[in-house]
């Protein structure tokens, strides 16, 4: 396999073992995360406590870029995409424009193609949607780390996304931080209560199942969450916000260990549970 300018070799974070850094799934909430004083916002702003090391680059898989085939953005500078409507004007004035990395984009494409994915495209224009730029702007406010975004394909199913992660697993030993950005529970149609202090039963039951099943290393059950999990289809009527978790889980490799690194709730139904996935030795 070819080496693409700094990617494709086990250089990157010099103090990390060759198994590479952890991968992460982060629940990004609504765009209001950037303005609200809630526990999830404090978690993102305190990211350096979770990961003190600075990655060489970031690959983020956001639920808000859904395509028929995998597409990775290959830009010199990332534009800020305002893919939301009716929010406070302050949000539309925010800018987050970290450098892109066409080299990393080509590496992502190379790894996916070599793992059997038939069609992988590059976008020379795509910027970062709110599932990417809002959490990253809180985690890395200096916007000085190259970022690439990879799309999900919600019509292709859960196994497809886990295998996508497996194909990209080499990146974590090349200094690339892999982040799946979605939501642990994502049902905006039922039981929404902006004043809720505690989660509704079905949401908390699914969230507990997710934490326990990941902690037990039952990756197969997580992949088949719609059948295996209590309230799986209610917690995720559309699976697009769950699939980024499967990419980051797969990228950590088979046998990866999971740890919940944050948990909080809003509106009674939206869990901000976020996880690290530690590669096995």
């Amino acid at each position: 396999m070819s080496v693409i300018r700094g990617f494709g070799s086990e250089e990157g974070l010099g103090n990390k073992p060759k198994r590479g850094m952890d991968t992460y799934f982060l629940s990004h909430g609504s765009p209001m995360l950037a303005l609200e004083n809630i526990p999830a916002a404090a978690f993102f702003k305190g990211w350096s406590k979770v990961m003190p090391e600075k990655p060489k680059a970031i690959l983020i898989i956001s639920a808000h870029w859904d395509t028929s085939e995998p597409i990775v953005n290959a830009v010199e500078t990332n534009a800020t995409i305002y893919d939301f409507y009716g929010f406070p004007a302050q949000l539309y004035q925010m800018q987050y424009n970290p450098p892109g990395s066409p080299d990393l984009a080509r590496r992502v494409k190379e790894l996916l193609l070599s793992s059997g994915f038939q069609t992988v495209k590059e976008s020379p224009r795509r910027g970062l949607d709110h599932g990417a730029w809002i959490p990253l702007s809180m985690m890395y406010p200096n916007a000085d780390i190259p970022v690439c975004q990879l799309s999900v394909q919600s019509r292709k199913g859960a196994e497809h996304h886990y295998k996508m992660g497996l194909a990209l697993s080499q990146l974590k030993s090349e200094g690339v931080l892999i982040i799946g950005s979605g939501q642990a529970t994502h049902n905006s149609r039922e039981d929404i209560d902006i004043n809720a202090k505690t989660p509704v039963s079905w949401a908390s039951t699914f969230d507990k199942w997710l934490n326990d099943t990941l902690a037990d290393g039952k990756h197969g059950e997580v992949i088949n969450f719609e059948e295996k999990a209590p309230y799986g289809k209610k917690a995720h009527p559309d699976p697009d916000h769950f699939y980024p978790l499967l990419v980051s889980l797969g990228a950590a490799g088979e046998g990866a260990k999971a740890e919940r690194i944050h948990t909080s709730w809003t509106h009674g139904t939206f869990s901000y549970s976020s996880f690290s996935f530690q590669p096995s030795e």
Side-chain angles (χ1 to χ4, degrees):
M1 184 172 289
S2 62
V3 176
I4 299 179
R5 288 185 59 190
F7 300 102
S9 61
E10 290 190 344
E11 62 178 69
L13 295 178
N15 59 343
K16 281 289 182 178
K18 287 186 177 181
R19 65 173 173 80
M21 69 182 77
D22 294 357
T23 64
Y24 295 89
F25 170 73
L26 306 177
S27 291
H28 63 246
S30 85
M32 290 298 294
L33 177 71
L35 303 180
E36 293 178 329
N37 182 23
I38 59 174
F43 164 69
F44 284 108
K45 291 176 180 177
W47 180 252
S48 62
K49 298 175 184 177
V50 177
M51 185 178 172
E53 305 91 347
K54 184 177 179 179
K56 180 178 179 179
I58 298 169
L59 176 66
I60 189 163
I61 302 92
S62 167
H64 293 279
W65 191 14
D66 195 346
T67 59
S68 59
E69 302 291 346
I71 305 178
V72 59
N73 76 331
V75 298
E76 294 296 336
T77 302
N78 281 288
T80 307
I81 300 175
Y82 304 100
D83 55 330
F84 46 85
Y85 307 94
F87 285 82
Q90 185 178 348
L91 281 172
Y92 302 96
Q93 297 166 0
M94 296 177 69
Q95 290 279 330
Y96 190 70
N97 306 112
S101 178
D103 293 331
L104 176 56
R106 286 191 290 271
R107 178 70 170 142
V108 168
K109 181 177 180 179
E110 177 189 62
L111 288 170
L112 292 174
L113 289 173
S114 66
S115 297
F117 288 80
Q118 297 298 310
T119 303
V120 182
K121 300 177 181 179
E122 297 178 40
S123 172
R125 293 176 295 276
R126 174 80 184 191
L128 302 177
D129 59 55
H130 80 269
W133 72 262
I134 285 185
L136 289 178
S137 69
M138 304 170 79
M139 297 160 65
Y140 298 103
N142 292 334
D144 57 354
I145 302 172
V147 178
C148 280
Q149 185 172 340
L150 177 64
S151 66
V152 296
Q153 297 78 57
S154 63
R155 294 184 181 181
K156 289 187 178 290
E159 186 74 27
H160 166 89
H161 290 86
Y162 184 74
K163 289 180 177 178
M164 182 186 293
L166 289 174
L168 298 171
S169 62
Q170 293 182 48
L171 291 175
K172 64 185 184 291
S173 62
E174 298 170 15
V176 179
L177 171 59
I178 300 174
I179 298 172
S181 179
Q183 197 76 28
T185 58
H186 192 258
N187 185 335
S188 57
R189 308 167 190 171
E190 297 184 55
D191 300 323
I192 300 294
D193 180 359
I194 61 173
N195 298 312
K197 302 298 183 182
T198 58
V200 297
S201 177
W202 62 261
S204 62
T205 299
F206 177 86
D207 190 66
K208 182 180 186 302
W209 174 90
L210 179 61
N211 181 56
D212 293 347
T213 307
L214 285 170
D216 291 341
K218 298 177 181 178
H219 294 186
E221 292 194 18
V222 177
I223 294 169
N224 293 295
F225 76 98
E226 290 182 316
E227 290 75 35
K228 297 292 185 179
Y231 304 107
K233 292 184 179 180
K234 190 166 187 174
H236 290 277
D238 300 304
D240 52 0
H241 276 68
F242 194 82
Y243 287 163
L245 182 149
L246 297 178
V247 180
S248 54
L249 178 62
E254 296 179 359
K257 298 178 181 179
E259 178 184 357
R260 185 157 64 180
I261 56 176
H262 177 74
T263 180
S264 63
W265 292 85
T266 60
H267 298 81
T269 62
F270 292 113
S271 167
Y272 282 85
S273 285
S274 298
F275 299 89
S276 65
F277 302 117
Q278 182 183 49
S280 60
E281 299 293 344

